[in-house]
């Protein structure tokens, strides 16, 4: 995940060729982070049910 964040903030153009502004970089970061946090929360809940 950390590698994807580095690529997002280093690149000047995306795959389509549009210029990456700070706003679009932040949007891409949020789009990648939301599913990651969701998956981590699910794993933590399942871990708690397995331990208890």
């Amino acid at each position: 995940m950390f590698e994807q964040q580095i690529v997002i903030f280093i690149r000047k153009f995306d795959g389509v060729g549009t210029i990456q502004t700070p706003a679009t970089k932040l949007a891409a970061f949020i789009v990648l982070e939301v599913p990651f946090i969701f998956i981590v929360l699910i794993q933590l809940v399942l871990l708690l049910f397995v331990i208890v």
Side-chain angles (χ1 to χ4, degrees):
M1 188 67 183
F2 186 68
E3 296 84 14
Q4 291 174 344
Q5 295 169 359
I6 291 174
V7 170
I8 288 173
F9 286 104
I10 290 178
R11 67 183 182 181
K12 302 224 184 288
F13 301 97
D14 68 358
V16 181
T18 58
I19 298 173
Q20 293 292 304
T21 63
T24 57
K25 289 179 183 181
L26 181 62
F29 176 74
I30 291 171
V31 165
L32 287 174
E33 284 300 312
V34 169
F36 177 75
I37 292 171
F38 182 70
I39 291 170
V40 168
L41 288 175
I42 289 174
Q43 289 181 349
L44 287 173
V45 167
L46 289 175
L47 180 66
L48 289 173
F49 281 121
V50 170
I51 290 177
V52 172

